[in-house]
Structure formats: structure tokens, C-alpha cells
Amino acid sequence: MSWLVPACAPCAGPAIDVRTATAATTPTAWDAGYAALRVDPAWIEQLYPPAQPGPVWFTTEGPRAAVGVALRELRAAGERGLAPDDYGVDALEHRIGAAMQGTLDPAAVAHADRALSAAVLRFLSDLNAGRVRPEQVEPAFRVPPKRAPFAAVLREAVAGDHLADLIAGAEPAFAQYAQLKRLLAEYRALAARPVPTLPPLASPRAKVVAGDRHAGAAALHDVLVALGDLAPDPAGAVDATYTGKLAEAVQRFQARHGLAEDGILGKETLAALNTPVADRVGQIVLSLERLRWLPDFGAGPLIAINIPSFRLWAFADAHGAGRATLAMPVVVGKAMRSETPVFVGEMRYVEFSPYWNVPPGILRNELLPRLAADPAYLTREDMEVVSTRRDGAALPDASAGVAALHSGEARLRQRPGPRNALGGVKFVLPNTMDIYLHATPERALFDRAQRDFSHGCIRVREPEALASFVLRGRPEWTPAEIEAAMASGVNRSVSLTAPIPVVVFYTTTIADVDGRAQFLRDVYGHDRKLLAELRAAGRAAP
């Protein structure tokens, strides 16, 4: 039910001391909903200091208007991808209602005041920074924790009747976050309506192409209309033919779901079409959680890579409205073997015609066995063995060099040039994982729908364009100069005018440039990890 603030007698005089009245009572004795909040005691100490221990939400005349606002916003937490059950809203309404009945007990008012403060502070923190610590899901994610001073400003927001503004301001300011909230409302509404389940194909390998007879054509039409990939047919009935119009709508659906955009109805496309809408709602909720983990990057350029999208966006101003200045496909680390980590870094320089210093793991697991089978491999791939001693000299004798590689007295690197695995340019953002962005000679991989093929680094399809973007503060680096440096074979590093933040993030739902939902494969299984962490923390999970 929706609780309405009742009329009440004056609240037991002006001297209710929340600190004293609640000091002898543990949260678990108040109610289970409050106890489950796991509120930082420092927040409560800051909100009720010795110099100002009185109620936040009540005056001697009764509850403030903000009490109703708080309960309404907590009840509507689902609209923001959170859950009212996480804040014990039913228990709060009962406690506040009981405190307002009959002769008022100062202790009851104090307990209700403190319980509501705890719930709202937890809600604000969840909106701002997420419900679980990101490093529990993404071990490489290391950013300073958000420390928004909600406890310091809550009392003033309640007294000044601008609690709703404080809540709205707690959310991330990213345009993508706002778009996902809108999509959450759309898909929750869609989940409340019946959507047909499509019949299976004749066999697991069967495929339906435009012009084929297909018994599920009418149901497919209805599903595509419901999902917004096909306009309703004013002609009415649809016969059992997989028409070109249906194939075009399927192609639009495929584009939004990370599938090969061929318009063919096959096993993977049918599985995506039959995914329950409630599951898509859950993907949006988890994606909103992940966006809350991201720091405020401030004004200025930003480069963002979403791993499940296999896509990079470069923004001239992270705070600016509108579309990205630059967008392109990328190749990321192979699932289960060499996954690209989720992290935030700073691009500091560009290296043209780079050497590829072979990582120890690749050397040990891939190249040393290859060298044993094919001694000419080094020459053919334009590689050299370099001493690990201070002089770093190349070892000219191939057999001695291979022996030194086995003993750890040498390392392997590939010279700049057309065969180099990094292509003509490397974008460096120093980090302990040795992850960077680079070009690649393997251009055909960018045509794949799922692009997890690398050893962890990020390959970009349009390295010349990205170099132009990051070197905009260096006018001497024209497109022609960039192309010449990439093709020169002469190793050269160029510092950026100022570091550019780079965020490598992971969401399986994202809004495209037209604001439509893209639902992507959980390529690394990270959504499953996040669900497990939410449940382990006792938080409501989608």
C-alpha cells in the first residue's frame, strides 16, 4: 500500500534526542528491513551529531513533507533499476505509522526518524555508486571510491523540501544511463504483455530464408512488432511465408542483438527471439548497476570501450550532449582464455611503427613450441631475440637465442613493419596488466559479429582516425603525417597534449545512437558473477 502521513499531535515536545533514544537499541531489534540495510555507522553519526541530535524527518508539528517524498521514491526504486525490498519500505511505513498514533512516544519517533534516514542514505549510496563493490565482480577495476557527502546534506535537503532533487542528483549523469532507465520502463511494460513463443525449426541446423514457407511466420510477425523491429501490418492476416519484409525486420533485430546481420532465421536468432522479455529487463537492471560504478570523468575527451559490444566510442567532451565524435568496431580478448579486463586508465602517448614485445605467456604457451617445430619462424615473422641484460642487445645466433628464451635470459620481439602484430600504431595507457589499444594486420576479424580473438589487448579497426582524435592537440600530426609514421617502420613515441581517460567497461545492454536497446551476449559471463554477488550481499536480484 502507499502510506500517507496522518495528522498527529505535537511530537512530544521539542527535545527528542535521536542519539540518546536509539543508543540502547540495536538495529536488529527495530525491524529486519532496517537491519538488512548494512548502513555505515559513520553516516548516522554525521547526520545526528552531538550538537544537532534532533529528528531529521519530524518537527514538533509532525512529519515533514519530505517523509512522503522519501517513501514514494523508495517505493519507486524499481524505476531506477533498484528494488524497494532492499530498503524495507513496508517495515518503514509500519514504523512511521505506529509512531504517529495516539500519544507520541519520543523513542518511537526517534527510531522511526533514524530508520528512515538509514534507508534513504542507503538508497542514495546505491544510486550513486552501486549496490556491490565493483572489484568483487571485476578484479582489475580500481578507481577511487565515490564519497558523495549525502549524510552531510540530507538534513538540509529534508528541511528545505528538495529531497527529490538530491535523489535525482545522486544518479550518474551519463546520457547512456538515462537512456537505459527509459528502456527499463519500456521493457517492463512490454514484459507485462503477452509475447508469443516461436515454434522450433525443423532441425537444429535448419535455416529459413526469405521466400521460404514457415509455419511460425504469423507468430514471428507479432514478436517483431512487439519488439519494435517491424511496423504493424495494416493488411491484417499474415500467411505462412517468411517474406522479405519479415527478413528485413529480423535483420534489424539481429543488429540489436550482436548477431550476424543476414536476415536468416536460424538457431541463434530464434533463441534470441524467444528470450523472455523479463530476462531483458534483468539485463538492463544489471547494466544500470555497472554504469553506477563508473567515476565522473569531468569535462574533456573520453574514450570508452564496451566489451560485449566489441565497440569503441571517442567523445570530444564527456559532459557534452550528442553522439560520439568517433565510433568503430574493436576486437577484444578471447573468452575463457585471455579476457580483456574491465578497468579505467589514461592514454598518455602514441607509439608509431611499434615493436611487439611478446608477453611471457604467449612466448611460453604458443611461440616456443612453434619455434621448436619451425626454426624458420623467427625470420619469416621478422622477429628477434633480445637479451634481458641492461644492454638489450639482439642475439644474432638463432639456436643460442632460442636457448636463451627457454632460460629466461632473453625476450622475443617483433620488429616494426607490415607483419607486426600491432600494425602501424600502439595507443599506450600504462597499467600493470600491459593492456593497450593497437592496429592489426588481421582486418577480416572486424567483419565477425562476435569479436573476442585477441590475447587481451584491444585491436581497433580505424587506427588512423583514433590517432587523429587523440593527437588533436598536436597540429603537426595531420592525417598524412600519421599515415606516413604508421608505414615508416621507424619506431617513434609521441606524447599526448594531456592524458585522455579510457574506460573499458562491460554492459550487456546499451542504447544505440537511435536510443533503441541493444542486447548483447554475456561473452565473459560477468552478468552471472554480478547476480551471484548481489544475492550473496542479500540484495534483491533481477
Side-chain angles (χ1 to χ4, degrees):
M1 70 173 184
S2 177
W3 182 80
L4 300 176
V5 178
C8 67
C11 294
I16 296 177
D17 185 325
V18 174
R19 292 172 63 91
T20 302
T22 60
T25 312
T26 62
T28 52
W30 300 354
D31 57 66
Y34 176 81
L37 291 172
R38 298 184 176 91
V39 173
D40 186 342
W43 296 352
I44 301 300
E45 288 296 314
Q46 188 174 6
L47 187 60
Y48 300 99
Q52 198 175 14
V56 172
W57 303 92
F58 299 89
T59 72
T60 57
E61 302 301 320
R64 297 181 184 273
V67 172
V69 174
L71 292 173
R72 183 183 70 241
E73 295 286 357
L74 293 173
R75 276 282 178 214
E79 297 174 5
R80 292 179 158 96
L82 301 176
D85 289 349
D86 277 349
Y87 311 103
V89 183
D90 288 338
L92 276 174
E93 290 186 347
H94 176 76
R95 178 169 292 283
I96 294 169
M100 306 313 300
Q101 301 300 317
T103 303
L104 295 173
D105 178 0
V109 172
H111 284 152
D113 196 273
R114 181 166 169 163
L116 182 55
S117 291
V120 170
L121 288 172
R122 178 76 273 165
F123 179 55
L124 289 166
S125 176
D126 289 350
L127 279 176
N128 184 249
R131 295 186 288 169
V132 300
R133 294 194 301 274
E135 61 270 19
Q136 294 176 302
V137 182
E138 313 291 357
F141 193 91
R142 292 287 185 274
V143 295
K146 294 181 179 180
R147 301 194 182 281
F150 296 122
V153 298
L154 180 59
R155 184 179 288 270
E156 179 185 346
V158 171
D161 201 18
H162 54 264
L163 177 63
D165 293 336
L166 180 63
I167 292 171
E171 296 185 276
F174 310 127
Q176 186 64 216
Y177 181 89
Q179 289 176 315
L180 285 184
K181 275 177 54 181
R182 175 184 53 78
L183 289 171
L184 178 61
E186 290 181 11
Y187 274 79
R188 280 213 163 112
L190 183 59
R193 304 196 301 268
V195 176
T197 299
L198 301 179
L201 300 174
S203 73
R205 295 188 177 183
K207 293 182 179 181
V208 182
V209 300
D212 285 353
R213 299 289 292 174
H214 179 51
L220 175 61
H221 171 276
D222 293 345
V223 169
L224 292 169
V225 169
L227 297 177
D229 294 298
L230 179 64
D233 190 346
V238 176
D239 66 16
T241 302
Y242 186 62
T243 64
K245 189 174 182 179
L246 282 176
E248 290 173 2
V250 165
Q251 193 169 6
R252 287 189 286 272
F253 175 88
Q254 291 169 330
R256 295 194 303 108
H257 291 77
L259 300 166
E261 299 172 37
D262 54 15
I264 296 172
L265 187 61
K267 178 182 176 182
E268 287 191 345
T269 297
L270 183 64
L273 285 161
N274 273 334
T275 298
V277 178
D279 290 0
R280 301 305 190 191
V281 170
Q283 281 185 252
I284 298 173
V285 168
L286 295 179
S287 295
L288 285 168
E289 172 73 7
R290 292 178 179 281
L291 291 183
R292 295 184 190 107
W293 298 345
L294 300 181
D296 181 356
F297 293 100
L302 171 70
I303 295 171
I305 298 108
N306 185 32
I307 292 170
S309 295
F310 309 113
R311 199 158 184 83
L312 173 150
W313 298 269
F315 298 89
D317 188 350
H319 278 188
R323 299 183 178 183
T325 304
L326 184 65
M328 69 183 71
V330 300
V331 171
V332 300
K334 184 68 176 176
M336 305 298 293
R337 292 177 56 189
S338 50
E339 298 176 359
T340 298
V342 174
F343 73 106
V344 177
E346 282 189 334
M347 188 181 296
R348 295 183 177 273
Y349 63 94
V350 173
E351 188 176 342
F352 290 111
S353 294
Y355 284 94
W356 178 42
N357 295 297
V358 179
I362 298 176
L363 174 65
R364 180 176 59 253
N365 299 325
E366 298 182 31
L367 297 192
L368 284 176
R370 188 171 296 177
L371 288 171
D374 181 9
Y377 180 82
L378 287 181
T379 301
R380 188 172 62 253
E381 295 299 323
D382 200 17
M383 288 184 160
E384 61 184 3
V385 179
V386 180
S387 171
T388 55
R389 296 176 181 175
R390 183 172 297 179
D391 60 2
L395 305 181
D397 184 272
S399 59
V402 172
L405 290 173
H406 277 282
S407 68
E409 296 177 357
R411 58 187 175 86
L412 186 64
R413 72 180 183 182
Q414 189 176 36
R415 300 180 186 93
R419 302 192 69 84
N420 189 280
L422 306 186
V425 63
K426 171 181 174 182
F427 302 88
V428 183
L429 42 151
N431 59 82
T432 59
M433 301 164 290
D434 199 25
I435 298 296
Y436 45 84
L437 284 63
H438 64 86
T440 178
E442 298 183 82
R443 308 289 299 168
L445 295 179
F446 292 110
D447 296 329
R448 306 278 190 92
Q450 182 162 327
R451 296 187 291 275
D452 59 319
F453 299 108
S454 83
H455 288 92
C457 288
I458 300 163
R459 307 175 192 174
V460 299
R461 189 179 71 177
E462 301 165 31
E464 299 89 348
L466 185 59
S468 291
F469 176 84
V470 302
L471 292 173
R472 289 181 305 166
R474 303 285 300 271
E476 68 274 21
W477 284 102
T478 63
E481 289 294 330
I482 287 170
E483 290 187 20
M486 289 176 61
S488 70
V490 178
N491 182 242
R492 179 179 181 183
S493 293
V494 180
S495 297
L496 306 189
T497 303
I500 296 177
V502 177
V503 55
V504 182
F505 67 109
Y506 190 105
T507 65
T508 58
T509 313
I510 200 164
D512 65 17
V513 294
D514 297 317
R516 301 204 60 206
Q518 290 188 337
F519 294 105
L520 310 162
R521 289 187 180 95
D522 186 11
V523 61
Y524 292 167
H526 288 198
D527 274 2
R528 293 195 299 274
K529 295 179 186 177
L530 177 52
L531 277 171
E533 287 297 332
L534 284 168
R535 289 166 180 155
R539 311 307 296 272

